Amino acid sequence: MKCMCLHALAIVYGKCYEDIGTFNDTRYIVQMLDRSTDKQERDRLVLFINRLILNKRNVNELMVANGIKTLVDLLTLAHMHTTRAVVPTQSNVIEAAPDMMVSSEKEWYYGNVERERLGPFSFAEMKDLWNEGTLTAKTRCWSQGLEGWKPLHTIPQLKWMLLATGNPVLNESDLATLVLNMLIRICQYFPSRDADGAIIRPLPKPKRLLTEASCQPHVVQLLLTFDPVLIEKVSILLKLIIEDNPGLPRLYLTGVFFFIMMYTGSNVLPLAWFLKYSHVRQAFRTDDQKGSDIMQRSILGHILPEAMVHFLENHSAEKFAETFLGEFDTPEAIWSNEMRQLMIQKIAAHLADFSPRLMSNTRALYQYCPIPAINYPQLDKELFVNIYYLRHLCDTVKFPDWPIREPVRLLKDILEEWKREVDKKPPEMSLDEAYKVLKLSTGTGGHEEGVIRKAYFKMAQKYHPDKNPEGRDLFEKVNKAYEFLCSKSSRNTEGPDPENIVLILKAQSILFSRYKELLEPYKYAGYPMLIKTIQMETTDDRLFTKTAHLLTAACELAFHTVNCSALNAEELCRERGIETLQDSLERCSVMLTQSSKPDDMPVQVSMNIIKCYAVAAQFELCRDRITEIPNIVKEICRTMYYRNLPLLCSISAQCVSAFAVDQYLQDHLHQAGAIWHLMLFLFKYDYTLDESGVEVQDDSNQQQVANTLARLSVQALSRLGGFNNEADEVKTPKNEPVRKSMRALLTPYVTNLLVTQRPNQNATVSINEVLKILNSNTENPYLIWDNSTRAEVTEYVGSQQTEKVRTGECDPTFGADFVFSAHEKELIIGEVFVRVYNEQPTFPLEEPKAFTNCLLDFLGSQAQYLHSLTQLTSQNMDTKNQSTQQAQRLKHAEMALDALANVIKNNPGTEVQCNGHYKLLFSLLSFSGATELQMLALEVIKSVTTNHDCVNNIADSSVLPYLLLTLHSLPTGRVTVLETLYALSSNTKLVKEIVAKGGLIYLLDLFCNSPNPNVRDKTAELLAKMQTDKLMGPRIRILLCKFLPPIFMDAMRDSHEASIHMFEGVHENPELIWNEEAREKVSRIVKQMKDKHYNDQKENPDVSWKLPEDYNVVYANVAGEVVIGGVFLRLFISQPSWVLRKPREFMVEVLEKYTDLISSTSPNGDTLETVTSAVVALFNAQPALAEQVPQLGHLPTIMKSMRAKNDAIPRASILVVGSLVQSEGCIRSMANLETIGPLIAGMKARQDMIAVACETLHKMFQKDYPELVEQALDSDLVPYLLKLLEDGLTGLENPASTKAQIVKSLKAMQMCLQHGERVTQLLEKSTVWSAYKDQKHDLFLADTNIAGYLTGPGVAGYLTQGPSSSVSNAPPPIDPHAENAES
């Protein structure tokens, strides 16, 4: 019933503890548990207490009632649970022996009477005694762990295992698990830090109680149950207890670390958390001063390998747990299940019989004894430095780029380890000495480990400082002896281990290669040991037979250190490292053969030393030392002879590039034949591999290796010759001997490409492109390269290389005089094959201006010879009868001119290079008979005329006569000459020179007499352009008008073809009278003048051409014609509708002529009549022109002339005014002038003009200008007109029409708003007006001609419908000089 009640209480309180609150009888429940002897009641009480502690206040009552100790006592019962399941584990090496329980330890003593002491007995025996009745509840008992003799019923183990009755609800393990959970919860109620993270002092009471000696050891020893659940719970509880616990440093005395590391299960994460927190916080003392700092501070230093201790410290607990359970073989951790089993075995052996004792006496206490360092056979050959196993760290194939946490610290530790390894001595203690300390026999061949261990335990327990304060010194000796016998020191050989030194060297190389920037500020401190190692290995007779290649690793380290920092390079020099490395290089290079393999030790050493030299050459101090040892250069060049070692050759090529920064080293390399070796590598390049898009690696593709070597050789040659480019950080000095050799062997073009080459593919000219050129067939202006040239140069270079290596001698010029057979017959100017360039004129030139200058210089040298040849051949070059040399010289000049024309055409801007050379170029036009030469010179001259500066320079050169002469002497080039002159005519100075040197007469001859339409068209175009010149244009027009009518000049400007058609046709129209006779006459005269001037100019190019001022070609067919503004007035009057080309200009000139005539007192009557008719015809045909008359200022003169005494003048003026009144602008201007009065005077002077005048008045008054009406009133016009009506106008031809015009005029005057009433008043007074005022005169026709009744072409033109216009259908005469004229 009690148990049921307890069960019910646990359920109720568990569900309603918040509502119930504090349980006031917690102490009573704890006392019941302490007094209880029934297992079921015990379990129910524990379960109820588990519910009570849900309320924190109940926990305080529990602690007051000493409940913590009571619960810990129950924990110890877990050791008595012998039926728990065995968890299968990978490392379960702790197995109970079948007779373990039988042979359990005898721990117990008892006594029933005073001072009785019986025992010791095992627990099984005690159980038998209980069953026999010998033992009772009050029997006094004792065992190790009890404070004194106690009654049996007060000892938890005996009470619950012997005395207690009933069936338990929980077995011992489940009970322990429940208690541990309760303790964990209690500790969580009382954290070690407050909300601000400050440590709470004093330590919270639950943790303080659990830390006491009566509790803590028993909690720790639960780890030896190996129950996974208990292990995990204990780890969590211990972690809570030790956090910020002052007792933490002495926790190791409980043996907790031995017990944890002995655990065989896999749920080790809580254990890892515990170890992570506590392993370096223990206050133990170690006598091993040789280990690392972490090994001396960590309690696990003797248990785990150093790497695992570092791993625990440097990584998370989770990562450590993963590693601890797994199989790892990395630079940071070598650990396996086998190693874990070994560790557990060693710890179990160290603990000896303590685990079985707990099954006999659950309160037995472990007496701590330090364990000697465990030796793992798997690590015997490993060298551990810092936190890395160097063998794995140096295995870059298996562990590439393994991350290194602190490279500087690792380097320092490696150097210290190196020093220790070099200074390694035999162990201080011998085996016999160690045996004597442990009191074991000597000279018997050694003892088993178990025997040694027992002897150690016996001595350690006897002299442990905690038990025997006077035995500390002897205890330390015992420890050292035991550790020596259990460590590998006892098996250590004398002296340094070469394999370890190799690992040390390789590890340093890895550090310097990967962390160059980080290590750069530090000077390397290991050079004395490194150089000493190199010296010892170099002088060792067994160098090439050793298994540990120390020299290879040492030389590699030398390279990496120098490559890292300039400080190291200087230090290497000071330590005479350059000389030492040279000795090693000489020792190894002699071992190189054509059958050597890349992995051979001599090859590896040579590569490392040469790489070291290549880097050292960056520093002046090192370069100076290298220059003092000429053999270094010779050995480096010699290594490039072995093509079977392409990697070695690549490194040597890079070294050549590095050495090239020094002029002295450049010369040494050149003299050592470096150029022979490097050039041969260029021709092993396969561009198809690089362009294939296939990814390849050097270690798997030999051709890729060859390609890489070729690229490095290009760079080396480039730097050796001083072909620097902008991308080079360090410039190399120019070396002319090397450059000469390269130009000869690789051609100037390829050599020049080295200046612009770049390592990458985005450069203007990449290294790959240079190599592709060398390994393919090419023909361009810079390069003629094919299989034959390639074979020729490789054969020559190969022979020189072999001779240099074998005899030390070779071509003293190093190929500078080498000439390719394919290049001997080519014309090469400025490093350009002229023939090829003329075939490929669009090929991009590298320096077109420089090439232009070279061509001009060549032409200058050839022109001198050609001029001399001209003098010898009587001024005429016979191209058919020349010697081979002469023909070759002429051919070369022609090729050069062709190239010059091409380069100017395809490279804008190069034409300015011809400035200053025009006397040369124009003089080539004078080589009569060399037509091709002349034509090519013309092309060059024409091509430069597109540049303004060139045109100006030609103008300053006074060379145009040569060009003008070709218009006669070179018919095939006339079009080109004309095009050239057209371009030159944009310069006024040249236009002036053309005129002065007779250019116009040449052009007129072509225009008039050339049978080639294209030539005539170009000529007309040129003449038109010359007339537009602001300075010379008017003079040129005047000169041309002396030969041709002005209309031709205008026609040339407007349409070249039209001017030619006009010249060839027959015309008679207002603007031109032209026929066959005129054409033949001007053509004949021009040809005669041209021939004469040509002969004169040929003799003296500076002769000038002039025309007399009064010279004119007189045409018989235009004699007596009145011509104004280029218009024949007679023909214009007959064809007034002719559309003039320049109507306004004609109007201005004819009006000026007209005003001049009417202003004269006695003008020529016929002329006045003709001009007047032309004026009237012009304004009648084109009325719009009259709008422009007022602004010319002629109206006042015309009005004034109506009063002239010469009656021909008023008539002419009335006719002109009559034609002008069609323009409102003219009427407006007349309104502001005195118009009506003069007009009346003119009517009175010429009665025959009254009709015209009246029509004029009618048109004026229709426009409604009051000023005119006012003038009419003031001038008595109305009475005058009425009188004319009254007289009847009998003397006129058409009086009725005239009367109609008078009536219309009067009526128009009446319509004036201002003066119309006055006019009406005057008319009403007249008796005559009444007869006319109501008449209609709309049907009367004007008495003047209607404009436009003569028709002609509707647009302006030069080919007209004149009365005798015709175009010749006969073929033109043949020019004797134009047999080969251009079509």
Side-chain angles (χ1 to χ4, degrees), residues 42-237:
R42 176 199 68 188
D43 294 347
R44 290 301 178 188
L45 285 168
V46 173
L47 289 169
F48 181 42
I49 293 172
N50 182 45
R51 293 293 182 265
L52 289 177
I53 64 174
L54 293 173
N55 189 310
K56 185 176 179 181
R57 292 182 181 179
N58 295 335
V59 174
N60 292 325
E61 293 297 318
L62 173 70
M63 290 188 291
V64 171
N66 202 21
I68 297 293
K69 184 177 182 303
T70 301
L71 292 175
V72 172
D73 287 341
L74 294 175
L75 282 177
T76 61
L77 299 178
H79 296 293
M80 305 305 296
H81 187 203
T82 59
T83 60
R84 69 167 59 93
V86 177
V87 179
T89 62
Q90 293 181 359
S91 0
N92 192 5
V93 296
I94 307 297
E95 296 181 359
D99 59 345
M100 179 174 287
M101 293 302 296
V102 177
S103 61
S104 60
E105 298 291 334
K106 296 183 178 183
E107 295 277 336
W108 293 97
Y109 297 86
Y110 75 93
N112 287 320
V113 296
E114 188 70 23
R115 295 186 180 277
E116 183 180 22
R117 182 175 181 270
L118 300 175
F121 300 100
S122 67
F123 180 73
E125 291 172 337
M126 292 291 286
K127 193 173 183 180
D128 291 339
L129 291 171
W130 171 264
N131 292 332
E132 293 172 359
T134 306
L135 298 178
T136 65
K138 294 183 179 181
T139 301
R140 291 179 299 111
C141 300
W142 181 87
S143 68
Q144 193 263 339
L146 294 177
E147 296 176 358
W149 291 84
K150 290 185 178 182
L152 183 147
H153 69 87
T154 62
I155 300 172
Q157 179 181 355
L158 299 179
K159 171 184 174 182
W160 295 112
M161 302 305 297
L162 301 179
L163 177 65
T165 61
N167 295 319
V169 177
L170 304 171
N171 61 39
E172 289 84 353
S173 294
D174 292 340
L175 178 61
T177 301
L178 177 61
V179 172
L180 286 172
N181 286 331
M182 293 166 63
L183 293 175
I184 288 171
R185 173 169 291 184
I186 291 171
C187 288
Q188 289 173 343
Y189 281 146
F190 300 91
S192 300
R193 293 176 183 258
D194 60 18
D196 297 326
I199 297 175
I200 297 174
R201 286 291 182 267
L203 191 68
K205 187 174 181 180
K207 298 182 179 180
R208 190 167 66 249
L209 293 173
L210 288 170
T211 307
E212 292 177 354
S214 61
C215 294
Q216 189 181 60
H218 301 298
V219 173
V220 169
Q221 288 170 183
L222 282 178
L223 295 168
L224 292 177
T225 63
F226 302 106
D227 186 292
V229 177
L230 294 179
I231 295 292
E232 188 170 334
K233 298 299 181 182
V234 170
S235 300
I236 296 173
L237 178 60

Side-chain angles (χ1 to χ4, degrees), residues 20 214 230 268 290 298 351 378 425 442 463 481 522 546 568 670 742 772 799 840 858 879 990 1003 1005 1214 1257 1338:
I20 297 172
S214 61
L230 294 179
V268 297
K290 297 181 180 179
S298 174
L351 295 179
Q378 295 85 347
K425 297 177 181 179
T442 59
Y463 296 106
Y522 301 94
K546 288 183 175 181
N568 294 339
H670 190 42
M742 291 172 64
K772 182 178 180 180
S799 64
Q840 305 174 23
F858 176 79
T879 57
L990 285 172
L1003 296 175
D1005 178 59
I1214 291 172
L1257 287 170
D1338 296 339

Side-chain angles (χ1 to χ4, degrees), residues 51 81 89 100 277 295 323 326 415 439 547 564 647 679 779-780 799 853 887 917 981 1044 1148 1360:
R51 293 293 182 265
H81 187 203
T89 62
M100 179 174 287
Y277 182 81
M295 293 295 283
T323 306
L415 289 173
K439 297 183 179 181
T547 56
C564 177
L647 184 57
M679 281 195 178
E779 183 170 291
N780 64 49
S799 64
N853 291 331
H917 297 276
L981 288 171
L1044 296 172
V1148 172
T1360 65

Side-chain angles (χ1 to χ4, degrees), residues 839-878:
E839 294 173 357
Q840 305 174 23
T842 58
F843 185 87
L845 297 173
E846 292 180 355
E847 296 182 4
K849 292 184 178 180
F851 180 47
T852 304
N853 291 331
C854 293
L855 289 171
L856 290 168
D857 293 341
F858 176 79
L859 287 171
S861 64
Q862 295 300 306
Q864 232 173 5
Y865 170 79
L866 294 175
H867 277 295
S868 302
L869 185 62
T870 302
Q871 298 297 327
L872 293 173
T873 55
S874 302
Q875 308 296 322
N876 191 9
M877 296 183 67
D878 185 1

Side-chain angles (χ1 to χ4, degrees), residues 465-530:
D466 291 344
K467 294 184 178 181
N468 186 357
E470 302 297 329
R472 176 176 293 277
D473 293 338
L474 191 55
F475 178 77
E476 290 179 357
K477 288 183 179 179
V478 170
N479 253 351
K480 286 183 179 179
Y482 182 49
E483 289 179 4
F484 170 73
L485 292 173
C486 293
S487 69
K488 57 185 177 183
S489 299
S490 60
R491 300 184 298 276
N492 186 37
T493 58
E494 296 184 5
D497 185 347
E499 295 293 343
N500 286 349
I501 296 179
V502 170
L503 291 176
I504 288 170
L505 294 172
K506 287 183 176 181
Q508 293 180 79
S509 296
I510 290 173
L511 282 174
F512 280 105
S513 63
R514 293 184 191 171
Y515 302 96
K516 177 180 177 182
E517 295 180 359
L518 186 62
L519 296 175
E520 184 177 2
Y522 301 94
K523 182 185 291 187
Y524 180 59
Y527 276 127
M529 290 187 291
L530 177 62

Side-chain angles (χ1 to χ4, degrees), residues 985 1023-1034 1036 1053:
S985 62
L1023 289 172
K1025 183 178 180 182
M1026 292 173 65
Q1027 293 177 68
T1028 62
D1029 186 81
K1030 293 181 179 180
L1031 182 62
M1032 294 298 297
I1036 292 172
R1053 180 193 64 197

